Amino acid sequence: MTSREWLGCITGIGLLMCCAFGGAHAAEPGRVIKDFHHTAWTLKDGAPAGIWVMAQTEDGWLWLGTSAGLWRFDGVVFERYDLLPEGSTAPRSVSTLFASRSGGLWVGYSYGGASVLEGGVVTHHGTKEGLPQAIPIETFEEDGDGRIWVGTAKGLYVLEQGAWQLADARWGFPAPDNTAFVRDRTGTLWASRDDGVYVLRIGARRFERVETDARPGASLHRTNEGTLWKYDDRGFSPLLGPDVPSRSATFSETASRYASPLLFDREGALWTVSCPVSLCRTETPYAFGQPFRGRALTGDTFSALEGLSSDVSMTLLEDREGNIWVGTKLGLDRFRRNDVMTVRFPKPLVYFALLPGEAGEMWAGTASDSPDIDRLWRLDPLPSLVPGFAGEVTAAYRDTDGGMLLAGRAGAWRFADGKVTPLPIPKKEEGVKVQAITRDGAGRLWMSFRASIVYRLDGDTWTPRGGIADLPELPATRAVTDEQGRVWLGYGQNTLAIVDGPTARVFSEADGLRTGIVSAILPGPDALVGGELGLAAFDGRRFRPLVATRPDVLTGVTGLLRTRDGTLWVNGNAGAVRISADDLRRALAEPGFQMPFKLFDMQDGMPGAAQQVRPLPTLVEGTDGKLWFAATNGLAWIDPERIHHNPLPPSVVIRSLIAGDRRHAPRADLRLPPLTRGLKIEYSALSLAVPERVAFRYRLEGVDDGWQDPGTRREAIYTNLGPGHYRFHVIAANDDGVWNEQGASVAFEIEPTFFETRGFLVLCVLAASGVLWLLYVLRLRQMTARVRQRLEERHAERERIARELHDTLLQGIQGLMLHFQVATARLPRGELREGLERVLDRADDVLVEGRDRVRELRASSGGMQDLADAFTTLAGEFGGNDAPAFRVLVEGASRPVDPLVADELYRIGREALFNAFQHADASEIEAGISYGVDALRLRFRDNGRGIESSILSAGRAGHWGLRGMRERAEKMGARLDILSGVGKGTEVSLSLSADRAYVPRAGDRWRRWMRRVLRLHG
C-alpha cells in the first residue's frame, strides 16, 4: 500500500466508520501499540524468515507459511512441518493458509496445488483432483455448507465430493475473475470481484450479485462485531443493503482464521502492515457507544526502532486468545494486550510519591535527585505538569481537609487550591529527607526522617517521639493512621509500634513479627503488615506469617491494599500480586494455608518490581477504582474491573519420546526397543498468550504414584525403566490457571530382551531348581558317606574288641581252666573234687557264652544274599519245636542293599525277632520287607502279649535291646517306630530313604525326581 493509499484508508475510516459503528464500544481510550506487550522472534530465536501468511487451527497451533515451506509454533519452539511426501521434489513455497471449522489446515502452494492436514492425515490436491496446473492458490474460504473455495488467477474453484470444479456461470459468475472472500457470522459467503459483490446463502448453489459499485482489487473484511467492509483504492466503505449483516454486540468470534494485511481486532481497532512505517494501529472513531462526530482520527505506528523484528511486515493475524501476530521479512512478532498500563512521562522518571485526587485523578511527586525534573504531576491518566512547584518529594499525605502535604530534602509544603504553602520542620532535621507523614486522631501531625526519629507537632513545637518514652529511638519507615485515630509506625529493625494517645505498644520478633523492614501497613480488624521478608497478619496480640503458593511473591512488600470486594493487592519484589477475598479469609482462618495468586509483572507491562525504601506506599487506589503502582522503572496502573481473563484451556500435545539417540513420534502402537532404560518425553501446551506461565502436571502410570509438578518445564525425564506397558499423561493450565484436565496421553511398551522374558525366567527357575537338586544330592552323598564311615569305624572297633577279648581274656581263662582241671584230676574223689568239677562246668558255660558274644561282635551280614533269607534263618535259630508260626512278606523287586546298611538292618531285625520269639509268647510272627522306589521299609509284627508302656517309652535298665534298635536307626538316618500295648502285640517298623539304603545304579535319582515332580503336579 502506498502512502497515498494509506491516506485514503485513514480518510475512508474517518468518513464512513462513524455510520457503521455508531453504538459500538471502542478500545481502551488512549491505548497505543506501546501499551501492548511486544515479543519478537527472529532467525537467532529459530523463527523462519519471510513469513507471508499465518493461520491458527482449532487445536491451537500457529502455522507459518514462508517461501521455504511450512512451520508451526507453540509459543516456545518453532518446528518445520512438511506436508509433501518424503523425497518429493515439488516446491514447498507456501502462498496461503486457511484453518477450516472442522480443524483442518489447508496449505496452498506458490507453484500450484494444495494439501490439507486433518486428524493427522495429509491429503494432496493437484491437477488430478481438478486444480489448475502451476497456478498459485491465492485464497481459501469455507461456506456455511462446509464447502472449501479457492481463488486463483484462473478463477474460483469449489471442492465437492473430492473433486475441484471451476465456479463458472453455473454458480452465477459470468466469467473467471479475481475474487476476494469473507464469511459472515451466519455462514453466508461473500465474494468481491471486479464487477461487484456477490453473496452465496446457506443451502444455495448460485451466487447473487448484491452490489455493482466495485473497483479492481477490492477486498472484503469482517469486523469483530460482524459487520462487513470493503476496501479498494478509495479506502474503506461499508457494505450496505438488506442482505448485509448488521453490527451485533454479542458476536465474539475472532474476525480472521487466517492472516491478511488488514485486520480488525476484537476491540474494533484496525491494524495494517501496509502503512509507511511498517505496522500501524488505528482506534475506531467512536468511544463507549457514542457516535463519532467530526473528531480527528488518530493513528499509531510501530517499527524496527521500537523493536519490531523487521520494518518489512507482511501479514497479520489475531489468535483465539486475542493476541495480534505480525509476520515480517526477518521473523515473527506478537502483541498482547496488557492489563498493566504504563504512564508515559516526557522524560524517564523514578521514585513516585502517590496521592489520589477527585474524579479518578492521581497526583505524583517525584524524587529523582535531579532538580530539573523533580516536579508534581497530575495524572488523568496522561501526565500533566503542575505549575508552581519544583523539588523532590519523598513523602506525601492526603490531609483530613483534602489538602496535600508534600515533603522532601528541601522541606515540607501544603498544596491546596493550586497554591503551595511551606510547612515548618524540626530545625535539627533540616536538609534530611522526610520518610513518612501522617496525622493522628487528635489532629496532631507526625513526621519521620531518614536516619533519625519520628516527631509530633504539638502546636508550633516538634516533640521527639511524641514525648512517648516507649517508642524506639529508630527511624520509622512507614506511618499510617487507622480509623480509631491510632498511629502505626513501622521500623527497619523488624519492629512495629502502635501509638494510642499517650501510650505505645511495641511489637518485635518475640510477638511473632518476622517481616524485617516494616514497609507496608494495612490497619483494620484483620491487620496486615508487609516488609522485606514477607507478609504477616495481626490479631491484636500476635503476628502470624501468611504464605502464597510461590513464597517469593510476598517479599519486598512496600504496598498493601484491599479493594471494596475484599481482594488483597500486594506490590513487592515479584510485581503486583492479586489474592482473592476468599483465599485471604481462608489464610486468616487456617495457619499454613498457601494462598493462590495472580501475578502482574513485566510480562503484563509492569515497569519492574515495587520501588523500595521511599517514597511509600507504592500502591494507591484512585477514586475511580484504578490501582496505581510505583515500580523501579516507572509508574503504572491497573483497572481491576477490566482485567483480561483467558478462559480457554490450552490444548496439550505430546511432541516426541526420545530413547537414547532415537526420537519417536507418539502413536497408538508405539514400541520402544529392548534395553530402553532412560526416556525423555517432550510435551507442550498451545496457549500463545503467555506460554512462559503455562503450568504442567504429568504422571507415568506404572512409575509415578501421583501427579508430578514440573512447573513450566516442557519435558519429563525417566531413568531405570524396565520392560513393560506404560501410559504417560500430561495436563496443563494457561496463564490464568484454567486447566485442561483431559490433557494428552500416549501408551507405549518397552520390549524385553530374551533375558527379560518369561521364558528366560522359567529357565532360570528350572536352572536354580537343578542347582538346588544337585546341592541336595551332593549333601545327601556327603551324609551317606559320613554314615558309612561311622559304620565302618564301629565295625572296625568291634572287630578290635572281639580280637582283644579272644586273644587275651578268653585265652587266659581257658588256660586257667586247664590248670584247674589238672589240679582237680589229682584230687581224690570226694566232696571237694565234685564241688570243683561243678565250678569248672560252670566256667565252661561262661567261656562258651563269652565265645558266643565275641562271635556276635565279629558277626556280619556282608555275606548274606538277601534280607528275607537272613530273617528266615534267624527264625529257624530262635524257634524250636513249639515255635510260633513265622512268615516273611516281600513287596517290590529285591534290590542290593548297601553292606553296612544291611548289617545294621540285620541287627535291628535280629533284635526284633529275638524279642518276639523269646519274650512275646506269640503264636504268629511276621516280617515284612518293602523295596520301594523312594525308601526301603521293614516291618516286624507279632500277636503276643505286648510291651508295657513304661518300658516302651523309657527303655529302662535290663531292656537295652529297644534302645539299641533306636540308636542304630538314628545313626543310619532311618525312622523307627515301635507300636505296642499290653495284650495287643508289637509292631516294629523302619523306613530308610533309597539314597541311603540301596547300592546306587544309573538313573535312580533322575527317576525319583521325575516321579516327585509328577506327583506334585497331580
Side-chain angles (χ1 to χ4, degrees):
M1 185 183 290
T2 65
S3 299
R4 179 175 295 180
E5 290 172 336
W6 171 244
L7 180 61
C9 171
I10 297 295
T11 304
I13 297 174
L15 294 175
L16 300 173
M17 289 181 69
C18 59
C19 302
F21 292 99
H25 292 283
E28 181 72 47
R31 185 189 292 270
V32 296
I33 297 181
K34 292 179 181 179
D35 290 326
F36 288 74
H37 185 276
H38 171 241
T39 306
W41 293 269
T42 61
L43 292 172
K44 64 182 177 62
D45 305 304
I51 301 175
W52 296 100
V53 287
M54 295 182 288
Q56 186 183 31
T57 47
E58 291 292 332
D59 56 11
W61 283 106
L62 182 65
W63 298 87
L64 313 173
T66 73
S67 59
L70 180 66
W71 298 69
R72 70 178 184 178
F73 185 48
D74 64 353
V76 177
V77 177
F78 292 90
E79 180 182 1
R80 190 180 186 115
Y81 206 94
D82 193 359
L83 297 185
L84 294 177
E86 185 176 357
S88 171
T89 59
R92 265 70 174 172
S93 178
V94 177
S95 59
T96 187
L97 295 174
F98 176 75
S100 67
R101 285 176 291 172
S102 62
L105 174 72
W106 287 85
V107 181
Y109 297 105
S110 303
Y111 297 92
S115 299
V116 58
L117 172 66
E118 188 164 7
V121 178
V122 179
T123 305
H124 303 287
H125 297 259
T127 55
K128 292 182 179 180
E129 289 75 26
L131 287 178
Q133 185 175 7
I135 300 298
I137 304 297
E138 297 176 352
T139 57
F140 282 103
E141 190 51 270
E142 182 179 13
D143 64 24
D145 294 315
R147 291 180 293 249
I148 301 296
W149 297 77
V150 298
T152 72
K154 286 192 173 182
L156 187 64
Y157 288 80
V158 60
L159 178 64
E160 285 192 308
Q161 298 179 352
W164 294 93
Q165 301 175 4
L166 179 65
D168 50 18
R170 292 174 299 173
W171 287 92
F173 295 122
D177 198 356
N178 293 323
T179 306
F181 298 109
V182 69
R183 183 175 58 85
D184 67 23
R185 65 177 183 271
T186 66
T188 299
L189 185 63
W190 297 78
S192 175
R193 295 162 57 88
D194 292 346
D195 62 342
V197 177
Y198 291 75
V199 62
L200 177 67
R201 298 179 177 85
I202 297 178
R205 294 192 60 82
R206 285 182 61 86
F207 281 87
E208 301 176 26
R209 189 164 64 170
V210 295
E211 184 182 273
T212 58
D213 183 16
R215 299 286 185 95
S219 60
L220 294 177
H221 302 273
R222 192 189 70 204
T223 69
N224 65 311
E225 294 177 330
T227 56
L228 300 182
W229 285 73
K230 180 177 63 176
Y231 178 76
D232 54 28
D233 57 355
R234 296 170 298 183
F236 276 95
S237 60
L239 283 182
L240 303 175
D243 295 316
V244 179
S246 60
R247 178 180 56 82
S248 171
T250 60
F251 186 69
S252 60
E253 182 183 350
T254 300
S256 64
R257 289 177 175 269
Y258 53 90
S260 66
L262 289 173
L263 172 69
F264 285 100
D265 68 18
R266 62 183 57 186
E267 291 183 345
L270 174 67
W271 298 70
T272 179
V273 297
S274 301
C275 61
V277 285
S278 183
L279 180 65
C280 298
R281 176 181 178 273
T282 304
E283 290 191 357
T284 52
Y286 52 85
F288 304 104
Q290 299 300 319
F292 174 69
R293 300 188 184 278
R295 187 169 44 155
L297 186 66
T298 59
D300 182 28
T301 63
F302 200 84
S303 67
L305 293 176
E306 287 82 24
L308 198 68
S309 60
S310 170
D311 271 336
V312 183
S313 54
M314 297 181 291
T315 186
L316 290 161
L317 180 137
E318 183 179 30
D319 68 21
R320 61 181 185 173
E321 294 171 291
N323 306 296
I324 305 298
W325 295 86
V326 184
T328 74
K329 272 287 189 181
L330 296 180
L332 181 68
D333 294 76
R334 180 189 63 199
F335 292 87
R336 187 181 72 244
R337 292 169 177 81
N338 281 329
D339 290 317
V340 181
M341 302 296 294
T342 302
V343 180
R344 304 191 183 280
F345 291 93
K347 295 182 179 180
L349 296 175
V350 291
Y351 305 120
F352 302 94
L354 300 174
L355 285 176
E358 298 178 356
E361 65 182 7
M362 184 63 60
W363 300 81
T366 60
S368 61
D369 293 330
S370 179
D372 59 329
I373 62 174
D374 286 334
R375 295 289 191 273
L376 180 63
W377 299 83
R378 180 176 179 271
L379 313 173
D380 190 24
L382 298 176
S384 59
L385 201 59
V386 177
F389 182 87
E392 71 170 3
V393 179
T394 59
Y397 174 70
R398 172 68 68 180
D399 211 346
T400 53
D401 61 357
M404 291 187 295
L405 303 185
L406 310 174
R409 187 197 307 269
W413 306 270
R414 173 183 171 81
F415 180 79
D417 300 327
K419 297 180 180 180
V420 179
T421 306
L423 294 176
I425 61 171
K427 292 188 176 295
K428 184 178 178 181
E429 307 299 340
E430 290 181 354
V432 179
K433 291 183 178 181
V434 178
Q435 178 69 34
I437 307 172
T438 191
R439 192 180 295 276
D440 63 18
R444 295 169 296 192
L445 193 66
W446 291 74
M447 193 173 292
S448 173
F449 295 84
R450 176 187 177 189
S452 183
I453 59 174
V454 296
Y455 290 83
R456 188 181 70 194
L457 183 61
D458 298 308
D460 296 328
T461 303
W462 287 99
T463 304
R465 293 186 292 158
I468 302 173
D470 292 336
L471 283 181
E473 293 189 16
L474 298 170
T477 56
R478 185 80 174 98
V480 178
T481 301
D482 63 17
E483 294 182 353
Q484 288 77 37
R486 299 177 301 177
V487 175
W488 296 56
L489 299 172
Y491 296 89
Q493 283 74 22
N494 195 56
T495 304
L496 176 76
I498 301 178
V499 179
D500 190 0
T503 63
R505 298 168 59 196
V506 180
F507 302 89
S508 63
E509 186 172 359
D511 305 289
L513 183 63
R514 286 188 56 83
T515 60
I517 299 174
V518 179
S519 49
I521 302 172
L522 187 61
D526 296 312
L528 301 177
V529 174
E532 180 183 15
L533 302 181
L535 182 66
F538 182 57
D539 60 6
R541 299 184 302 277
R542 289 188 61 82
F543 292 85
R544 178 170 59 80
L546 298 180
V547 294
T549 52
R550 202 181 103 189
D552 64 292
V553 300
L554 296 182
T555 61
V557 178
T558 55
L560 286 174
L561 189 146
R562 272 189 191 161
T563 56
R564 298 176 184 87
D565 61 358
T567 301
L568 176 66
W569 288 82
V570 182
N571 196 19
N573 283 336
V577 177
R578 182 183 69 180
I579 298 172
S580 71
D582 292 338
D583 291 328
L584 177 61
R585 280 192 294 268
R586 184 174 175 183
L588 294 173
E590 301 178 19
F593 171 70
Q594 295 183 345
M595 298 180 289
F597 64 91
K598 180 174 177 59
L599 178 65
F600 300 84
D601 58 10
M602 295 185 69
Q603 294 283 351
D604 306 282
M606 185 67 69
Q611 69 183 23
Q612 303 290 311
V613 186
R614 75 184 67 81
L616 299 178
T618 62
L619 171 56
V620 175
E621 184 177 16
T623 52
D624 59 354
K626 290 187 176 70
L627 305 180
W628 294 78
F629 298 85
T632 54
N633 197 41
L635 185 64
W637 57 270
I638 296 176
D639 186 351
E641 300 297 326
R642 302 192 66 182
I643 292 177
H644 293 93
H645 177 68
N646 186 357
L648 296 176
S651 300
V652 185
V653 294
I654 298 175
R655 300 175 68 97
S656 62
L657 290 82
I658 303 174
D661 57 353
R662 288 194 58 189
R663 184 181 296 269
H664 304 268
R667 59 178 186 270
D669 57 344
L670 181 59
R671 291 176 178 269
L672 301 182
L675 297 179
T676 297
R677 295 293 179 264
L679 184 64
K680 182 167 72 172
I681 304 175
E682 296 178 335
Y683 51 83
S684 185
L686 304 178
S687 178
L688 303 179
V690 195
E692 301 86 353
R693 291 183 185 167
V694 173
F696 296 91
R697 291 176 187 165
Y698 65 76
R699 64 180 174 185
L700 182 60
E701 295 177 5
V703 176
D704 297 325
D705 294 331
W707 289 102
Q708 305 299 308
D709 189 356
T712 59
R713 194 178 74 244
R714 297 185 177 223
E715 62 180 20
I717 299 175
Y718 290 92
T719 57
N720 298 324
L721 296 177
H725 296 272
Y726 299 91
R727 181 175 180 269
F728 180 77
H729 189 195
V730 57
I731 60 176
N734 66 13
D735 56 302
D736 275 330
V738 179
W739 283 91
N740 181 342
E741 297 289 350
Q742 182 178 358
S745 63
V746 59
F748 59 93
E749 179 183 0
I750 297 179
E751 297 181 335
T753 63
F754 170 72
F755 303 103
E756 295 171 324
T757 60
R758 291 185 177 180
F760 179 74
L761 180 60
V762 171
L763 290 179
C764 288
V765 171
L766 293 177
S769 301
V771 171
L772 292 176
W773 175 252
L774 290 176
L775 293 175
Y776 169 73
V777 170
L778 291 175
R779 178 62 176 166
L780 192 60
R781 287 184 176 180
Q782 289 178 352
M783 296 299 296
T784 303
R786 287 182 184 179
V787 171
R788 184 178 292 108
Q789 182 181 1
R790 287 199 298 266
L791 290 175
E792 290 175 351
E793 290 174 353
R794 192 171 70 178
H795 282 291
E797 183 65 16
R798 288 169 58 186
E799 289 285 345
R800 186 190 66 79
I801 294 173
R803 282 196 306 270
E804 293 294 332
L805 290 176
H806 181 272
D807 295 342
T808 57
L809 181 61
L810 293 181
Q811 295 293 345
I813 293 175
Q814 181 70 32
L816 289 176
M817 289 178 62
L818 290 175
H819 286 298
F820 274 105
Q821 286 177 353
V822 172
T824 302
R826 293 177 181 176
L827 292 176
R829 292 207 175 262
E831 184 177 350
L832 176 60
R833 182 175 176 174
E834 292 176 359
L836 288 174
E837 288 177 351
R838 288 195 298 270
V839 171
L840 288 174
D841 292 337
R842 178 57 182 160
D844 286 335
D845 294 336
V846 171
L847 186 60
V848 171
E849 185 177 356
R851 286 195 181 106
D852 292 340
R853 293 299 181 183
V854 170
R855 187 169 57 250
E856 289 178 1
L857 282 173
R858 303 189 68 174
S860 174
S861 61
M864 65 181 178
Q865 298 297 319
D866 188 79
L867 286 176
D869 294 341
F871 293 148
T872 302
T873 303
L874 284 176
E877 293 178 2
F878 296 147
N881 295 330
D882 297 327
F886 176 77
R887 61 177 177 173
V888 178
L889 301 178
V890 179
E891 297 178 0
S894 177
R895 292 278 303 275
V897 180
D898 186 281
L900 296 177
V901 173
D903 187 70
E904 294 297 326
L905 297 176
Y906 172 77
R907 293 188 178 278
I908 292 174
R910 187 178 187 281
E911 183 66 30
L913 292 176
F914 178 80
N915 291 335
F917 277 97
Q918 298 296 325
H919 305 296
D921 291 336
S923 60
E924 293 181 1
I925 299 175
E926 179 183 286
I929 305 172
S930 175
Y931 293 96
V933 176
D934 298 325
L936 173 64
R937 296 177 179 83
L938 302 182
R939 184 181 68 253
F940 303 95
R941 181 187 303 166
D942 67 66
N943 61 353
R945 61 187 181 185
I947 305 174
E948 295 181 5
S949 59
S950 59
I951 297 175
L952 186 62
S953 59
R956 64 186 180 212
H959 298 276
W960 304 110
L962 298 179
R963 179 176 295 180
M965 286 192 294
R966 289 193 175 98
E967 290 176 353
R968 292 178 187 276
E970 183 179 353
K971 289 178 180 179
M972 286 190 300
R975 177 176 177 179
L976 180 70
D977 295 314
I978 303 176
L979 303 175
S980 183
V982 178
K984 297 181 180 179
T986 301
E987 180 178 327
V988 178
S989 61
L990 180 141
S991 177
L992 181 63
S993 66
D995 292 333
R996 297 183 180 182
Y998 303 135
V999 175
R1001 64 182 182 182
D1004 278 351
R1005 293 187 177 88
W1006 174 253
R1007 283 190 288 271
R1008 285 194 296 271
W1009 182 80
M1010 287 300 296
R1011 288 190 181 95
R1012 290 174 184 173
V1013 171
L1014 293 174
R1015 190 181 303 119
L1016 289 174
H1017 292 80

